[in-house]
Amino acid sequence: DDTSCSVASSSSSSSSGTVNTHQLQTLIDALPYHDDEYDARKGEVQALIEAEMKAFPPERNYLAHLPSVPELAFADHPVLATEMQRLRESDGTARMQSVVRPLSLNPRDVAADAPPPHDASEVLWSQALRRRALALEHSALAEMNAQLLHKYATPKWKKHLAILEAEKTRVQGLADELRDAVQEVNKQRKDAQLKAGAKLSEDTRAWFELVRKNQQIEAACLVLEEEIAIARAAQAEAEEESRDAEMADA
Protein backbone atom coordinates (compact mmCIF):
# COMPACT_ATOMS: atom_id res chain seq x y z
CA ASP A 1 0.00 0.00 0.00
CA ASP A 2 0.95 3.68 -0.05
CA THR A 3 2.18 3.73 3.55
CA SER A 4 4.43 0.68 3.18
CA CYS A 5 5.86 2.01 -0.08
CA SER A 6 6.57 5.38 1.50
CA VAL A 7 8.12 3.87 4.62
CA ALA A 8 10.31 1.52 2.59
CA SER A 9 11.43 4.35 0.34
CA SER A 10 12.13 6.62 3.31
CA SER A 11 14.20 3.99 5.10
CA SER A 12 16.25 3.18 2.02
CA SER A 13 16.79 6.85 1.24
CA SER A 14 17.68 7.84 4.81
CA SER A 15 20.27 5.06 4.98
CA SER A 16 22.04 6.54 1.97
CA GLY A 17 21.77 10.07 3.37
CA THR A 18 19.59 11.44 0.55
CA VAL A 19 15.85 11.46 -0.03
CA ASN A 20 14.62 10.78 -3.54
CA THR A 21 11.18 12.34 -3.88
CA HIS A 22 10.46 10.24 -6.96
CA GLN A 23 10.68 7.07 -4.86
CA LEU A 24 8.06 8.41 -2.44
CA GLN A 25 5.48 8.70 -5.19
CA THR A 26 3.11 5.83 -5.90
CA LEU A 27 2.65 4.79 -9.52
CA ILE A 28 -1.00 4.28 -10.43
CA ASP A 29 -1.12 2.10 -13.52
CA ALA A 30 -4.86 1.27 -13.53
CA LEU A 31 -8.09 3.11 -12.80
CA PRO A 32 -10.86 0.47 -12.75
CA TYR A 33 -13.59 3.08 -12.22
CA HIS A 34 -12.36 5.12 -15.20
CA ASP A 35 -10.66 2.86 -17.72
CA ASP A 36 -13.00 1.73 -20.46
CA GLU A 37 -10.66 0.83 -23.31
CA TYR A 38 -10.68 -2.84 -22.27
CA ASP A 39 -14.45 -3.29 -22.60
CA ALA A 40 -14.11 -3.96 -26.32
CA ARG A 41 -11.76 -6.90 -25.61
CA LYS A 42 -13.89 -8.72 -23.05
CA GLY A 43 -14.97 -11.26 -25.65
CA GLU A 44 -11.37 -11.96 -26.61
CA VAL A 45 -10.37 -12.39 -22.97
CA GLN A 46 -13.32 -14.71 -22.30
CA ALA A 47 -12.41 -16.79 -25.36
CA LEU A 48 -8.84 -17.17 -24.07
CA ILE A 49 -10.12 -18.26 -20.66
CA GLU A 50 -12.47 -20.84 -22.17
CA ALA A 51 -9.71 -22.18 -24.42
CA GLU A 52 -7.41 -22.56 -21.43
CA MET A 53 -10.11 -24.33 -19.43
CA LYS A 54 -10.74 -26.76 -22.29
CA ALA A 55 -7.06 -27.71 -22.16
CA PHE A 56 -7.47 -29.00 -18.59
CA PRO A 57 -7.95 -32.79 -18.35
CA PRO A 58 -11.44 -33.74 -17.14
CA GLU A 59 -11.31 -34.78 -13.50
CA ARG A 60 -14.77 -36.02 -12.68
CA ASN A 61 -13.62 -38.31 -9.89
CA TYR A 62 -11.41 -35.84 -8.07
CA LEU A 63 -11.12 -38.22 -5.09
CA ALA A 64 -9.59 -41.06 -7.12
CA HIS A 65 -6.08 -40.37 -5.81
CA LEU A 66 -7.22 -40.86 -2.20
CA PRO A 67 -7.25 -44.29 -0.56
CA SER A 68 -10.58 -46.09 -0.43
CA VAL A 69 -12.72 -45.88 2.68
CA PRO A 70 -12.00 -48.90 4.90
CA GLU A 71 -14.82 -51.25 5.76
CA LEU A 72 -15.58 -50.81 9.46
CA ALA A 73 -16.75 -54.23 10.61
CA PHE A 74 -15.97 -53.80 14.32
CA ALA A 75 -15.38 -57.51 14.67
CA ASP A 76 -13.81 -57.04 18.10
CA HIS A 77 -16.51 -54.60 19.30
CA PRO A 78 -20.00 -56.14 19.14
CA VAL A 79 -21.60 -53.05 20.69
CA LEU A 80 -20.27 -50.77 17.94
CA ALA A 81 -21.07 -53.38 15.29
CA THR A 82 -24.70 -53.58 16.46
CA GLU A 83 -25.04 -49.79 16.53
CA MET A 84 -23.49 -49.38 13.07
CA GLN A 85 -25.88 -52.00 11.71
CA ARG A 86 -28.81 -50.10 13.25
CA LEU A 87 -27.61 -46.86 11.65
CA ARG A 88 -27.30 -48.53 8.25
CA GLU A 89 -30.86 -49.81 8.49
CA SER A 90 -32.35 -46.55 9.82
CA ASP A 91 -32.41 -43.02 8.38
CA GLY A 92 -29.70 -41.89 10.78
CA THR A 93 -31.97 -39.59 12.78
CA ALA A 94 -33.09 -42.04 15.42
CA ARG A 95 -31.58 -41.74 18.85
CA MET A 96 -28.80 -44.14 19.73
CA GLN A 97 -30.20 -47.09 21.61
CA SER A 98 -28.23 -48.80 24.30
CA VAL A 99 -27.51 -52.48 23.74
CA VAL A 100 -26.75 -52.99 27.41
CA ARG A 101 -29.66 -54.04 29.60
CA PRO A 102 -30.50 -51.06 31.84
CA LEU A 103 -30.41 -51.41 35.57
CA SER A 104 -33.85 -51.74 37.14
CA LEU A 105 -35.17 -51.46 40.69
CA ASN A 106 -38.32 -53.43 39.96
CA PRO A 107 -38.76 -56.22 42.57
CA ARG A 108 -39.28 -58.76 39.82
CA ASP A 109 -36.04 -57.68 38.11
CA VAL A 110 -34.24 -57.76 41.43
CA ALA A 111 -35.54 -61.27 42.13
CA ALA A 112 -34.61 -62.37 38.63
CA ASP A 113 -31.13 -60.95 39.05
CA ALA A 114 -30.56 -62.89 42.31
CA PRO A 115 -28.65 -66.17 42.12
CA PRO A 116 -30.70 -69.39 42.24
CA PRO A 117 -31.23 -70.72 45.78
CA HIS A 118 -29.94 -74.20 45.00
CA ASP A 119 -26.71 -72.80 43.51
CA ALA A 120 -26.14 -69.87 45.85
CA SER A 121 -22.59 -69.24 46.79
CA GLU A 122 -20.88 -66.39 48.50
CA VAL A 123 -19.29 -65.21 45.24
CA LEU A 124 -22.59 -65.16 43.35
CA TRP A 125 -24.38 -63.34 46.16
CA SER A 126 -21.52 -60.82 46.35
CA GLN A 127 -21.84 -60.18 42.61
CA ALA A 128 -25.60 -59.79 42.85
CA LEU A 129 -25.26 -57.47 45.83
CA ARG A 130 -22.71 -55.36 43.94
CA ARG A 131 -25.05 -55.09 40.93
CA ARG A 132 -27.90 -53.96 43.15
CA ALA A 133 -25.64 -51.41 44.85
CA LEU A 134 -24.66 -50.07 41.45
CA ALA A 135 -28.34 -49.90 40.50
CA LEU A 136 -29.15 -47.94 43.65
CA GLU A 137 -26.24 -45.55 43.06
CA HIS A 138 -27.29 -45.12 39.44
CA SER A 139 -30.84 -44.37 40.51
CA ALA A 140 -29.66 -41.88 43.13
CA LEU A 141 -27.43 -40.08 40.62
CA ALA A 142 -30.24 -40.00 38.05
CA GLU A 143 -32.64 -38.50 40.61
CA MET A 144 -30.02 -35.94 41.68
CA ASN A 145 -29.31 -34.97 38.06
CA ALA A 146 -33.05 -34.64 37.40
CA GLN A 147 -33.46 -32.34 40.41
CA LEU A 148 -30.44 -30.23 39.39
CA LEU A 149 -31.73 -30.07 35.82
CA HIS A 150 -35.18 -29.00 36.98
CA LYS A 151 -33.73 -26.33 39.27
CA TYR A 152 -30.87 -24.88 37.22
CA ALA A 153 -31.40 -25.87 33.58
CA THR A 154 -33.88 -23.15 32.63
CA PRO A 155 -31.97 -20.23 34.22
CA LYS A 156 -28.70 -21.61 32.89
CA TRP A 157 -29.99 -21.85 29.35
CA LYS A 158 -31.60 -18.42 29.57
CA LYS A 159 -28.28 -16.95 30.70
CA HIS A 160 -26.44 -18.84 27.98
CA LEU A 161 -28.88 -17.59 25.34
CA ALA A 162 -28.49 -14.03 26.64
CA ILE A 163 -24.71 -14.36 26.31
CA LEU A 164 -25.12 -15.70 22.78
CA GLU A 165 -27.47 -12.86 21.85
CA ALA A 166 -25.02 -10.29 23.24
CA GLU A 167 -22.16 -11.91 21.35
CA LYS A 168 -24.27 -12.00 18.18
CA THR A 169 -25.08 -8.28 18.59
CA ARG A 170 -21.41 -7.46 19.16
CA VAL A 171 -20.22 -9.47 16.15
CA GLN A 172 -23.02 -8.04 13.99
CA GLY A 173 -21.95 -4.55 15.02
CA LEU A 174 -18.34 -5.30 14.08
CA ALA A 175 -19.50 -6.71 10.75
CA ASP A 176 -21.58 -3.59 10.08
CA GLU A 177 -18.66 -1.33 10.97
CA LEU A 178 -16.35 -3.32 8.70
CA ARG A 179 -18.90 -3.22 5.87
CA ASP A 180 -19.29 0.54 6.28
CA ALA A 181 -15.50 0.96 6.31
CA VAL A 182 -15.20 -1.09 3.12
CA GLN A 183 -17.92 0.95 1.44
CA GLU A 184 -16.23 4.18 2.53
CA VAL A 185 -12.90 2.99 1.12
CA ASN A 186 -14.60 2.03 -2.14
CA LYS A 187 -16.29 5.44 -2.31
CA GLN A 188 -12.99 7.19 -1.72
CA ARG A 189 -11.27 5.02 -4.35
CA LYS A 190 -14.03 5.71 -6.86
CA ASP A 191 -13.98 9.45 -6.18
CA ALA A 192 -10.18 9.63 -6.39
CA GLN A 193 -10.07 7.56 -9.58
CA LEU A 194 -12.82 9.56 -11.26
CA LYS A 195 -11.00 12.79 -10.42
CA ALA A 196 -7.74 11.34 -11.64
CA GLY A 197 -9.51 10.05 -14.75
CA ALA A 198 -10.92 13.49 -15.52
CA LYS A 199 -7.47 15.02 -15.10
CA LEU A 200 -5.94 12.32 -17.31
CA SER A 201 -8.59 12.89 -19.97
CA GLU A 202 -7.90 16.64 -19.89
CA ASP A 203 -4.15 16.09 -20.07
CA THR A 204 -4.64 13.59 -22.91
CA ARG A 205 -6.67 16.10 -24.91
CA ALA A 206 -4.05 18.78 -24.24
CA TRP A 207 -1.30 16.37 -25.32
CA PHE A 208 -3.08 15.53 -28.56
CA GLU A 209 -3.65 19.24 -29.20
CA LEU A 210 0.04 19.97 -28.65
CA VAL A 211 1.01 17.10 -30.92
CA ARG A 212 -1.37 18.41 -33.60
CA LYS A 213 0.10 21.91 -33.28
CA ASN A 214 3.63 20.54 -33.43
CA GLN A 215 2.75 18.66 -36.60
CA GLN A 216 1.28 21.82 -38.11
CA ILE A 217 4.41 23.76 -37.14
CA GLU A 218 6.63 21.05 -38.64
CA ALA A 219 4.59 21.13 -41.85
CA ALA A 220 4.81 24.93 -41.99
CA CYS A 221 8.56 24.74 -41.35
CA LEU A 222 8.95 22.27 -44.21
CA VAL A 223 6.99 24.62 -46.50
CA LEU A 224 9.11 27.59 -45.39
CA GLU A 225 12.32 25.63 -45.86
CA GLU A 226 11.20 24.70 -49.37
CA GLU A 227 10.28 28.31 -50.14
CA ILE A 228 13.61 29.50 -48.73
CA ALA A 229 15.44 26.97 -50.86
CA ILE A 230 13.53 28.11 -53.96
CA ALA A 231 14.21 31.77 -53.11
CA ARG A 232 17.91 31.11 -52.58
CA ALA A 233 18.09 29.24 -55.86
CA ALA A 234 16.33 32.09 -57.66
CA GLN A 235 18.61 34.63 -55.99
CA ALA A 236 21.69 32.64 -56.96
CA GLU A 237 20.41 32.39 -60.50
CA ALA A 238 19.71 36.13 -60.65
CA GLU A 239 23.17 36.94 -59.31
CA GLU A 240 24.68 34.61 -61.89
CA GLU A 241 22.77 36.33 -64.69
CA SER A 242 23.80 39.76 -63.37
CA ARG A 243 27.45 38.78 -63.35
CA ASP A 244 27.15 37.41 -66.87
CA ALA A 245 25.55 40.67 -68.03
CA GLU A 246 28.29 42.79 -66.46
CA MET A 247 30.97 40.70 -68.09
CA ALA A 248 29.23 41.01 -71.44
CA ASP A 249 29.08 44.84 -71.17
CA ALA A 250 32.75 45.00 -70.23
Side-chain angles (χ1 to χ4, degrees), residues 200-231:
L200 286 175
S201 299
E202 181 181 356
D203 293 343
T204 301
R205 287 192 296 269
W207 181 79
F208 279 114
E209 183 65 22
L210 291 175
V211 170
R212 185 183 63 83
K213 289 182 178 180
N214 287 334
Q215 291 176 349
Q216 292 177 353
I217 293 172
E218 289 179 358
C221 289
L222 291 176
V223 172
L224 289 175
E225 289 178 357
E226 185 178 356
E227 292 178 354
I228 290 173
I230 294 173

CSV table of all heavy atoms in Angstrom, one decimal, residues 200-231:
chain,number,residue,atom,x,y,z
A,200,LEU,N,-6.7,13.0,-16.2
A,200,LEU,CA,-5.9,12.3,-17.3
A,200,LEU,C,-6.6,12.6,-18.7
A,200,LEU,O,-5.9,12.8,-19.7
A,200,LEU,CB,-5.9,10.8,-17.0
A,200,LEU,CG,-5.0,10.3,-15.9
A,200,LEU,CD1,-5.2,8.9,-15.7
A,200,LEU,CD2,-3.6,10.6,-16.3
A,201,SER,N,-7.9,12.6,-18.7
A,201,SER,CA,-8.6,12.9,-20.0
A,201,SER,C,-8.3,14.3,-20.4
A,201,SER,O,-8.0,14.5,-21.6
A,201,SER,CB,-10.1,12.7,-19.8
A,201,SER,OG,-10.4,11.4,-19.4
A,202,GLU,N,-8.3,15.3,-19.5
A,202,GLU,CA,-7.9,16.6,-19.9
A,202,GLU,C,-6.5,16.7,-20.4
A,202,GLU,O,-6.2,17.4,-21.4
A,202,GLU,CB,-8.1,17.6,-18.7
A,202,GLU,CG,-7.8,19.0,-19.0
A,202,GLU,CD,-8.0,19.9,-17.7
A,202,GLU,OE1,-8.5,19.3,-16.7
A,202,GLU,OE2,-7.7,21.1,-17.8
A,203,ASP,N,-5.6,16.1,-19.7
A,203,ASP,CA,-4.2,16.1,-20.1
A,203,ASP,C,-4.0,15.4,-21.4
A,203,ASP,O,-3.1,15.8,-22.2
A,203,ASP,CB,-3.3,15.4,-19.0
A,203,ASP,CG,-3.2,16.2,-17.7
A,203,ASP,OD1,-3.6,17.4,-17.8
A,203,ASP,OD2,-2.9,15.7,-16.7
A,204,THR,N,-4.7,14.3,-21.6
A,204,THR,CA,-4.6,13.6,-22.9
A,204,THR,C,-5.1,14.5,-24.1
A,204,THR,O,-4.4,14.5,-25.1
A,204,THR,CB,-5.5,12.3,-22.9
A,204,THR,OG1,-5.0,11.5,-21.8
A,204,THR,CG2,-5.4,11.5,-24.2
A,205,ARG,N,-6.2,15.2,-23.9
A,205,ARG,CA,-6.7,16.1,-24.9
A,205,ARG,C,-5.6,17.2,-25.2
A,205,ARG,O,-5.4,17.6,-26.3
A,205,ARG,CB,-8.0,16.7,-24.5
A,205,ARG,CG,-9.2,15.7,-24.6
A,205,ARG,CD,-10.5,16.5,-24.5
A,205,ARG,NE,-10.6,17.1,-23.2
A,205,ARG,CZ,-11.2,16.5,-22.1
A,205,ARG,NH1,-11.7,15.2,-22.2
A,205,ARG,NH2,-11.3,17.1,-21.0
A,206,ALA,N,-5.1,17.7,-24.1
A,206,ALA,CA,-4.1,18.8,-24.2
A,206,ALA,C,-2.8,18.2,-25.0
A,206,ALA,O,-2.2,18.9,-25.8
A,206,ALA,CB,-3.7,19.3,-22.9
A,207,TRP,N,-2.5,17.0,-24.7
A,207,TRP,CA,-1.3,16.4,-25.3
A,207,TRP,C,-1.6,16.2,-26.8
A,207,TRP,O,-0.7,16.5,-27.7
A,207,TRP,CB,-1.0,15.0,-24.7
A,207,TRP,CG,0.2,14.3,-25.3
A,207,TRP,CD1,1.5,14.6,-25.0
A,207,TRP,CD2,0.1,13.3,-26.2
A,207,TRP,NE1,2.3,13.7,-25.8
A,207,TRP,CE2,1.5,12.9,-26.5
A,207,TRP,CE3,-0.9,12.6,-26.8
A,207,TRP,CZ2,1.8,11.9,-27.4
A,207,TRP,CZ3,-0.6,11.6,-27.7
A,207,TRP,CH2,0.8,11.2,-28.0
A,208,PHE,N,-2.7,15.7,-27.2
A,208,PHE,CA,-3.1,15.5,-28.6
A,208,PHE,C,-3.1,16.9,-29.3
A,208,PHE,O,-2.7,17.0,-30.4
A,208,PHE,CB,-4.4,14.8,-28.7
A,208,PHE,CG,-4.3,13.3,-28.6
A,208,PHE,CD1,-4.9,12.7,-27.5
A,208,PHE,CD2,-3.6,12.6,-29.5
A,208,PHE,CE1,-4.9,11.3,-27.4
A,208,PHE,CE2,-3.6,11.2,-29.4
A,208,PHE,CZ,-4.2,10.5,-28.4
A,209,GLU,N,-3.6,17.9,-28.6
A,209,GLU,CA,-3.6,19.2,-29.2
A,209,GLU,C,-2.2,19.8,-29.4
A,209,GLU,O,-1.9,20.3,-30.5
A,209,GLU,CB,-4.4,20.2,-28.3
A,209,GLU,CG,-4.6,21.6,-28.8
A,209,GLU,CD,-5.5,21.6,-30.1
A,209,GLU,OE1,-6.3,20.7,-30.3
A,209,GLU,OE2,-5.3,22.6,-30.9
A,210,LEU,N,-1.4,19.5,-28.5
A,210,LEU,CA,0.0,20.0,-28.7
A,210,LEU,C,0.7,19.2,-29.8
A,210,LEU,O,1.5,19.8,-30.6
A,210,LEU,CB,0.8,19.8,-27.3
A,210,LEU,CG,0.4,20.7,-26.2
A,210,LEU,CD1,1.2,20.4,-24.9
A,210,LEU,CD2,0.7,22.2,-26.6
A,211,VAL,N,0.4,17.9,-29.8
A,211,VAL,CA,1.0,17.1,-30.9
A,211,VAL,C,0.5,17.6,-32.3
A,211,VAL,O,1.3,17.7,-33.2
A,211,VAL,CB,0.7,15.6,-30.7
A,211,VAL,CG1,1.0,14.8,-32.0
A,211,VAL,CG2,1.4,15.1,-29.5
A,212,ARG,N,-0.8,17.9,-32.3
A,212,ARG,CA,-1.4,18.4,-33.6
A,212,ARG,C,-0.7,19.7,-34.0
A,212,ARG,O,-0.3,20.0,-35.1
A,212,ARG,CB,-2.9,18.6,-33.5
A,212,ARG,CG,-3.6,19.0,-34.7
A,212,ARG,CD,-5.1,19.2,-34.5
A,212,ARG,NE,-5.3,20.3,-33.6
A,212,ARG,CZ,-5.3,21.6,-33.9
A,212,ARG,NH1,-5.1,21.9,-35.2
A,212,ARG,NH2,-5.5,22.5,-33.1
A,213,LYS,N,-0.5,20.6,-33.0
A,213,LYS,CA,0.1,21.9,-33.3
A,213,LYS,C,1.5,21.7,-33.7
A,213,LYS,O,2.0,22.4,-34.6
A,213,LYS,CB,0.0,22.8,-32.1
A,213,LYS,CG,-1.4,23.3,-31.8
A,213,LYS,CD,-1.4,24.3,-30.6
A,213,LYS,CE,-2.8,24.8,-30.3
A,213,LYS,NZ,-2.8,25.7,-29.2
A,214,ASN,N,2.2,20.8,-33.0
A,214,ASN,CA,3.6,20.5,-33.4
A,214,ASN,C,3.7,20.0,-34.9
A,214,ASN,O,4.6,20.4,-35.6
A,214,ASN,CB,4.3,19.5,-32.5
A,214,ASN,CG,4.6,20.1,-31.1
A,214,ASN,OD1,4.8,21.4,-31.0
A,214,ASN,ND2,4.6,19.3,-30.1
A,215,GLN,N,2.8,19.2,-35.2
A,215,GLN,CA,2.7,18.7,-36.6
A,215,GLN,C,2.5,19.8,-37.6
A,215,GLN,O,3.1,19.8,-38.7
A,215,GLN,CB,1.7,17.6,-36.7
A,215,GLN,CG,2.0,16.3,-36.0
A,215,GLN,CD,0.9,15.2,-36.1
A,215,GLN,OE1,-0.2,15.5,-36.5
A,215,GLN,NE2,1.2,14.0,-35.6
A,216,GLN,N,1.5,20.7,-37.2
A,216,GLN,CA,1.3,21.8,-38.1
A,216,GLN,C,2.5,22.7,-38.2
A,216,GLN,O,2.8,23.2,-39.3
A,216,GLN,CB,0.1,22.6,-37.6
A,216,GLN,CG,-1.2,21.9,-37.7
A,216,GLN,CD,-2.4,22.7,-37.0
A,216,GLN,OE1,-2.1,23.8,-36.4
A,216,GLN,NE2,-3.6,22.2,-37.2
A,217,ILE,N,3.2,22.9,-37.1
A,217,ILE,CA,4.4,23.8,-37.1
A,217,ILE,C,5.5,23.1,-38.0
A,217,ILE,O,6.2,23.7,-38.8
A,217,ILE,CB,4.9,24.0,-35.7
A,217,ILE,CG1,3.9,24.9,-35.0
A,217,ILE,CG2,6.3,24.7,-35.7
A,217,ILE,CD1,4.2,25.1,-33.5
A,218,GLU,N,5.6,21.8,-37.8
A,218,GLU,CA,6.6,21.1,-38.6
A,218,GLU,C,6.3,21.1,-40.1
A,218,GLU,O,7.2,21.3,-41.0
A,218,GLU,CB,6.7,19.6,-38.2
A,218,GLU,CG,7.3,19.4,-36.8
A,218,GLU,CD,7.3,17.9,-36.4
A,218,GLU,OE1,6.8,17.1,-37.2
A,218,GLU,OE2,7.9,17.6,-35.3
A,219,ALA,N,5.0,21.0,-40.4
A,219,ALA,CA,4.6,21.1,-41.8
A,219,ALA,C,4.9,22.5,-42.4
A,219,ALA,O,5.4,22.7,-43.5
A,219,ALA,CB,3.1,20.8,-42.0
A,220,ALA,N,4.6,23.6,-41.6
A,220,ALA,CA,4.8,24.9,-42.0
A,220,ALA,C,6.3,25.2,-42.1
A,220,ALA,O,6.7,25.9,-43.1
A,220,ALA,CB,4.2,25.9,-41.0
A,221,CYS,N,7.1,24.6,-41.2
A,221,CYS,CA,8.6,24.7,-41.3
A,221,CYS,C,9.1,24.1,-42.6
A,221,CYS,O,10.0,24.6,-43.3
A,221,CYS,CB,9.2,24.1,-40.1
A,221,CYS,SG,9.0,25.1,-38.6
A,222,LEU,N,8.5,22.9,-43.0
A,222,LEU,CA,8.9,22.3,-44.2
A,222,LEU,C,8.6,23.1,-45.4
A,222,LEU,O,9.4,23.3,-46.4
A,222,LEU,CB,8.3,20.9,-44.3
A,222,LEU,CG,8.8,19.8,-43.3
A,222,LEU,CD1,7.9,18.6,-43.5
A,222,LEU,CD2,10.2,19.5,-43.5
A,223,VAL,N,7.4,23.7,-45.4
A,223,VAL,CA,7.0,24.6,-46.5
A,223,VAL,C,7.9,25.8,-46.6
A,223,VAL,O,8.4,26.2,-47.7
A,223,VAL,CB,5.5,25.0,-46.3
A,223,VAL,CG1,5.2,26.1,-47.4
A,223,VAL,CG2,4.6,23.8,-46.5
A,224,LEU,N,8.2,26.4,-45.4
A,224,LEU,CA,9.1,27.6,-45.4
A,224,LEU,C,10.5,27.2,-45.9
A,224,LEU,O,11.2,28.0,-46.6
A,224,LEU,CB,9.2,28.2,-44.0
A,224,LEU,CG,7.9,28.9,-43.5
A,224,LEU,CD1,8.0,29.3,-42.0
A,224,LEU,CD2,7.6,30.1,-44.4
A,225,GLU,N,11.0,26.1,-45.4
A,225,GLU,CA,12.3,25.6,-45.9
A,225,GLU,C,12.3,25.4,-47.4
A,225,GLU,O,13.3,25.8,-48.1
A,225,GLU,CB,12.7,24.3,-45.1
A,225,GLU,CG,13.0,24.5,-43.7
A,225,GLU,CD,13.4,23.2,-43.0
A,225,GLU,OE1,13.3,22.2,-43.7
A,225,GLU,OE2,13.7,23.2,-41.8
A,226,GLU,N,11.3,24.9,-47.9
A,226,GLU,CA,11.2,24.7,-49.4
A,226,GLU,C,11.2,26.0,-50.1
A,226,GLU,O,11.8,26.2,-51.1
A,226,GLU,CB,10.0,23.9,-49.7
A,226,GLU,CG,9.9,23.5,-51.2
A,226,GLU,CD,8.7,22.7,-51.5
A,226,GLU,OE1,8.0,22.3,-50.6
A,226,GLU,OE2,8.5,22.4,-52.7
A,227,GLU,N,10.3,27.0,-49.5
A,227,GLU,CA,10.3,28.3,-50.1
A,227,GLU,C,11.6,29.0,-50.0
A,227,GLU,O,12.1,29.7,-51.0
A,227,GLU,CB,9.2,29.1,-49.4
A,227,GLU,CG,7.8,28.6,-49.7
A,227,GLU,CD,6.7,29.4,-49.0
A,227,GLU,OE1,7.1,30.3,-48.2
A,227,GLU,OE2,5.5,29.2,-49.2
A,228,ILE,N,12.3,28.9,-48.9
A,228,ILE,CA,13.6,29.5,-48.7
A,228,ILE,C,14.6,28.9,-49.7
A,228,ILE,O,15.4,29.6,-50.3
A,228,ILE,CB,14.1,29.3,-47.3
A,228,ILE,CG1,13.3,30.2,-46.3
A,228,ILE,CG2,15.6,29.7,-47.2
A,228,ILE,CD1,13.6,29.9,-44.9
A,229,ALA,N,14.5,27.6,-49.9
A,229,ALA,CA,15.4,27.0,-50.9
A,229,ALA,C,15.2,27.5,-52.3
A,229,ALA,O,16.1,27.7,-53.1
A,229,ALA,CB,15.3,25.4,-50.8
A,230,ILE,N,13.9,27.6,-52.6
A,230,ILE,CA,13.5,28.1,-54.0
A,230,ILE,C,14.0,29.6,-54.1
A,230,ILE,O,14.5,30.0,-55.2
A,230,ILE,CB,12.0,28.0,-54.2
A,230,ILE,CG1,11.6,26.5,-54.2
A,230,ILE,CG2,11.6,28.7,-55.5
A,230,ILE,CD1,10.1,26.3,-54.3
A,231,ALA,N,13.8,30.4,-53.0
A,231,ALA,CA,14.2,31.8,-53.1
A,231,ALA,C,15.7,31.9,-53.2
A,231,ALA,O,16.2,32.7,-54.0
A,231,ALA,CB,13.7,32.5,-51.9
